[in-house]
Each structure stands twice: as structure tokens, then as C-alpha cells.
Amino acid sequence: MDYAPKAIGPYSQAVKANGIVYTSGQIALDPASGSIVEGDFADQARRVFDNLEAVLRESGSSFDRVLRATVYLTNLGDFQTLNAIYAERFGDHKPARTTVQVAALPKGSAVEIDLIALL
């Protein structure tokens, strides 16, 4: 998948089974450099959605086919910003979602999201 960062561990970016795609969690990695994008939380969240969009597209799916999202934030104070960007990317489509605060994420990312979508 050329438009999403390479996996940083022994896992796949996505797995397809029985008409469903399960994405691995995406953090705010720039696909070209492999580093966390510079900027604020909003910049990181937008990069995460760009990465997810690339994984979905390569898998044969899209945001309008997402059934469920799991969002991990290192600071729940970013919840409203996340919601605004999430609404931009999903539009009228509203998949089920869980959002949790975690102590830390790989490479110091402020947000990680994984998705389950129909193919």
C-alpha cells in the first residue's frame, strides 16, 4: 500500500475475510518518512484519516462502508477536535464507535484509529 505507512511491526495493514476488512490501527505516520507528522493534534488526526483512507481504498472499501471505529487518544481533552475531523471524514455516515484514553501510543502519536468495514 503505497499511500499508507508501512507496518511498524509484525502485522498487516489490513486483513480481509468474509466480505469485511479489518484495518490495523493507524497512527499519524507520514508514509514517505515513516515519522510522526509535525503539528498539533488536528494535523495528527487528519494524517490518521488519510492513512486509513489509503488502507481502505487499497482493500476495496471506503469510509461510507465502515461499520465500526475504535479510537485511542492520549488526551481526552482532544475529543471535540477529533469529533469535528471525524464528522468531516464520515459525513452523514455514522459507524459505531468506541473512544478511549490510553497512557501512550507507538512513536508518541496522540491518536490511533482502527476500522472494520464492508468490502
Side-chain angles (χ1 to χ4, degrees):
M1 296 184 191
D2 296 333
Y3 298 102
K6 304 279 186 248
I8 59 173
Y11 58 88
S12 300
Q13 289 173 316
V15 174
K16 299 189 286 188
N18 301 317
I20 296 176
V21 59
Y22 301 85
T23 74
S24 290
Q26 290 293 314
I27 58 175
L29 290 179
D30 177 279
S33 70
S35 298
I36 296 291
V37 296
E38 293 185 24
D40 62 9
F41 175 82
D43 295 319
Q44 285 199 24
R46 286 187 180 93
R47 179 75 253 169
V48 168
F49 280 106
D50 290 345
N51 293 345
L52 286 165
E53 184 175 33
V55 171
L56 288 172
R57 184 176 46 249
E58 183 71 23
S59 298
S61 191
S62 58
F63 282 131
D64 64 341
R65 300 189 54 80
V66 172
L67 301 170
R68 178 169 171 59
T70 306
V71 179
Y72 306 92
L73 300 174
T74 57
N75 180 356
L76 278 176
D78 293 321
F79 189 75
Q80 292 302 83
T81 302
L82 179 305
N83 276 343
I85 295 165
Y86 188 95
E88 287 173 12
R89 296 309 285 263
F90 281 102
D92 291 333
H93 181 62
K94 293 182 174 41
R97 184 178 94 185
T98 299
T99 304
V100 295
Q101 180 171 314
V102 296
L105 290 167
K107 296 198 174 224
S109 186
V111 57
E112 180 172 0
I113 301 174
D114 65 73
L115 303 174
I116 300 172
L118 294 172
L119 290 171

